[in-house]
């Protein structure tokens, strides 16, 4: 049974978004319009677990691809009410694709933009980083790799997507770079910091650091981020014995704004 996460920061997160009243249909249409306006293509890739909404370059053909994995989206309506649909209410993370001139693929989280038979609220609450969720992304990467002859991936994750990319990188040998933006990289520390229920059924990236020692990493942390404050990153960072492959920067940003300029610098580094 879902343990309701009672914390005021959910209110801060959702009231900060001016589009919070958009219907699911409008949110989907906005993402589809973004793809069309930027000469990108919408596709659906199905794994053994979930269907995933994908936005990618048309006629994609490249040896290395930048994979963008979305945040938790509209997981909660308020501090006591779970959302019936986690599709994101804004396009802040999608907007980063505009500055990326490399091969790029955006992958939504399970149950965002499209339904699956497996969809239930636990997959955007306590089991958002479960084994089946990570396995689903792992399978999607394998499908993309086979269909498009991709050899290496740069994984880029926002917020909860940061946890997903770290967990993925810990189990794959084809990850060239790991990038997080306001990433939730220690979920146990995160729940304790906000005094909320543990994410039972989820994996924790900070417990996988021994498998990430050799992975080149770039992390952006917002100095005024109240959702995933810098303490979360440093709890993850301090668990590494060897930190030489980890770069990070604390920038003048909140959780949802404004990482664009610093992200452009990272894009140049991971070409």
């Amino acid at each position: 049974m879902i343990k309701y996460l009672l914390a005021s920061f959910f209110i801060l997160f959702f009231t900060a978004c001016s589009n919070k009243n958009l219907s699911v249909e409008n949110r989907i249409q906005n993402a589809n319009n973004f793809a069309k306006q930027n000469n990108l293509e919408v596709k659906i890739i199905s794994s053994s677990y979930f269907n995933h909404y994908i936005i990618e370059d048309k006629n994609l053909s490249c040896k290395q691809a930048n994979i963008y994995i979305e945040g938790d989206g509209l997981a909660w309506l308020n501090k006591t009410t779970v959302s019936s649909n986690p599709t994101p209410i804004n396009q802040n993370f999608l907007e980063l694709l505009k500055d990326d001139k490399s091969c790029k693929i955006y992958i939504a989280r399970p149950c965002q933009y499209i339904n699956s038979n497996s969809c239930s609220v636990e997959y955007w609450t306590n089991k958002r980083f479960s084994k089946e969720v990570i396995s689903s992304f792992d399978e999607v990467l394998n499908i993309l790799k086979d269909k498009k002859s991709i050899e290496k991936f740069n994984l880029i994750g926002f917020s909860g997507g940061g946890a997903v990319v770290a967990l993925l990188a810990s189990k794959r040998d084809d990850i060239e770079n790991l990038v997080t933006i306001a990433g939730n990289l220690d979920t146990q520390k995160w729940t304790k910091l906000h005094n909320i229920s543990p994410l039972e059924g989820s994996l924790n990236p900070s417990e996988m650091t021994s498998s990430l020692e050799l992975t080149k990493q770039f992390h952006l942390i917002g100095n005024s981020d109240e959702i995933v404050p810098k303490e979360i990153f440093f709890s993850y960072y301090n668990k590494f014995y060897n930190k030489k492959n980890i770069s990070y920067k604390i920038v003048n940003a909140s959780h949802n704004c404004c990482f664009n300029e610093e992200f452009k610098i990272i894009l140049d580094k991971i070409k």
Side-chain angles (χ1 to χ4, degrees), residues 4-126:
Y4 290 97
L5 312 182
L6 306 179
S8 61
F9 73 92
F10 285 112
I11 298 177
L12 291 171
F13 179 73
F14 295 121
T15 55
C17 302
S18 61
N19 297 341
K20 66 177 181 178
N21 294 320
L22 284 178
S23 68
V24 175
E25 292 74 19
N26 284 340
R27 285 177 259 160
I28 295 170
Q29 189 58 52
N30 284 346
N32 289 341
N33 288 342
F34 173 89
K36 185 177 181 180
Q37 291 163 6
N38 290 280
N39 198 33
L40 301 171
E41 189 172 12
V42 173
K43 291 186 177 179
I44 305 301
I45 294 182
S46 298
S47 74
S48 303
Y49 303 88
F50 301 99
N51 299 323
H52 287 268
Y53 176 92
I54 310 287
I55 296 177
E56 65 178 24
D57 282 320
K58 292 183 178 180
N59 304 315
L60 179 71
S61 178
C62 51
K63 296 298 184 183
Q64 180 169 293
N66 291 348
I67 302 294
Y68 291 74
I69 296 184
E70 183 60 84
D72 295 340
L74 186 61
W76 292 78
L77 297 178
N78 56 48
K79 66 178 181 178
T80 60
T81 308
V82 179
S83 170
S84 62
N85 189 297
T87 299
I89 56 179
N90 62 57
Q91 296 180 350
N92 291 346
F93 185 56
L94 265 178
E95 289 289 324
L96 296 181
L97 274 70
K98 290 182 178 180
D99 295 317
D100 190 345
K101 307 308 179 186
S102 305
C103 293
K104 52 187 179 287
I105 306 171
Y106 167 93
I107 310 177
R109 301 275 288 282
C111 313
Q112 295 179 351
Y113 299 104
I114 186 169
N115 199 16
S116 302
N117 291 333
S118 302
C119 282
S120 62
V121 296
E122 63 186 352
Y123 289 117
W124 55 90
T125 52
N126 62 297

Side-chain angles (χ1 to χ4, degrees), residues 3-260:
K3 290 188 175 183
Y4 290 97
L5 312 182
L6 306 179
S8 61
F9 73 92
F10 285 112
I11 298 177
L12 291 171
F13 179 73
F14 295 121
T15 55
C17 302
S18 61
N19 297 341
K20 66 177 181 178
N21 294 320
L22 284 178
S23 68
V24 175
E25 292 74 19
N26 284 340
R27 285 177 259 160
I28 295 170
Q29 189 58 52
N30 284 346
N32 289 341
N33 288 342
F34 173 89
K36 185 177 181 180
Q37 291 163 6
N38 290 280
N39 198 33
L40 301 171
E41 189 172 12
V42 173
K43 291 186 177 179
I44 305 301
I45 294 182
S46 298
S47 74
S48 303
Y49 303 88
F50 301 99
N51 299 323
H52 287 268
Y53 176 92
I54 310 287
I55 296 177
E56 65 178 24
D57 282 320
K58 292 183 178 180
N59 304 315
L60 179 71
S61 178
C62 51
K63 296 298 184 183
Q64 180 169 293
N66 291 348
I67 302 294
Y68 291 74
I69 296 184
E70 183 60 84
D72 295 340
L74 186 61
W76 292 78
L77 297 178
N78 56 48
K79 66 178 181 178
T80 60
T81 308
V82 179
S83 170
S84 62
N85 189 297
T87 299
I89 56 179
N90 62 57
Q91 296 180 350
N92 291 346
F93 185 56
L94 265 178
E95 289 289 324
L96 296 181
L97 274 70
K98 290 182 178 180
D99 295 317
D100 190 345
K101 307 308 179 186
S102 305
C103 293
K104 52 187 179 287
I105 306 171
Y106 167 93
I107 310 177
R109 301 275 288 282
C111 313
Q112 295 179 351
Y113 299 104
I114 186 169
N115 199 16
S116 302
N117 291 333
S118 302
C119 282
S120 62
V121 296
E122 63 186 352
Y123 289 117
W124 55 90
T125 52
N126 62 297
K127 293 182 72 175
R128 67 187 76 178
F129 311 125
S130 63
K131 288 183 179 179
E132 52 266 42
V133 167
I134 303 307
S135 293
S136 186
F137 278 104
D138 193 41
E139 190 173 335
V140 169
L141 291 188
N142 288 336
I143 292 170
L144 290 169
K145 192 172 184 178
D146 291 342
K147 285 187 174 181
K148 302 178 182 300
S149 300
I150 299 170
E151 296 178 359
K152 294 287 184 178
F153 295 108
N154 294 319
L155 298 183
I156 303 164
F158 164 67
S159 191
V164 174
V165 296
L167 291 165
L168 275 173
S170 74
K171 63 183 296 184
R172 298 185 65 96
D173 60 5
D174 56 1
I175 306 306
E176 194 73 10
N177 295 282
L178 167 63
V179 180
T180 73
I181 301 167
N184 188 354
L185 294 170
D186 188 339
T187 57
Q188 183 178 13
K189 175 75 173 179
W190 181 71
T191 56
K192 286 182 177 179
L193 185 69
H194 291 294
N195 193 28
I196 57 180
S197 302
L199 299 184
E200 293 183 356
S202 283
L203 301 171
N204 185 358
S206 71
E207 295 176 359
M208 310 297 178
T209 53
S210 61
S211 300
L212 292 167
E213 292 275 356
L214 300 179
T215 304
K216 195 170 183 179
Q217 305 180 40
F218 300 88
H219 304 278
L220 294 178
I221 304 107
N223 64 354
S224 57
D225 189 345
E226 297 182 10
I227 310 302
V228 185
K230 62 181 180 296
E231 289 86 349
I232 305 303
F233 168 74
F234 285 111
S235 180
Y236 164 85
Y237 178 76
N238 289 332
K239 289 180 172 62
F240 283 84
Y241 175 76
N242 179 2
K243 299 178 175 62
K244 69 178 184 179
N245 291 317
I246 306 175
S247 298
Y248 70 88
K249 187 169 184 178
I250 299 176
V251 301
N252 186 23
S254 62
H255 190 68
N256 290 290
C257 178
C258 303
F259 293 98
N260 299 59

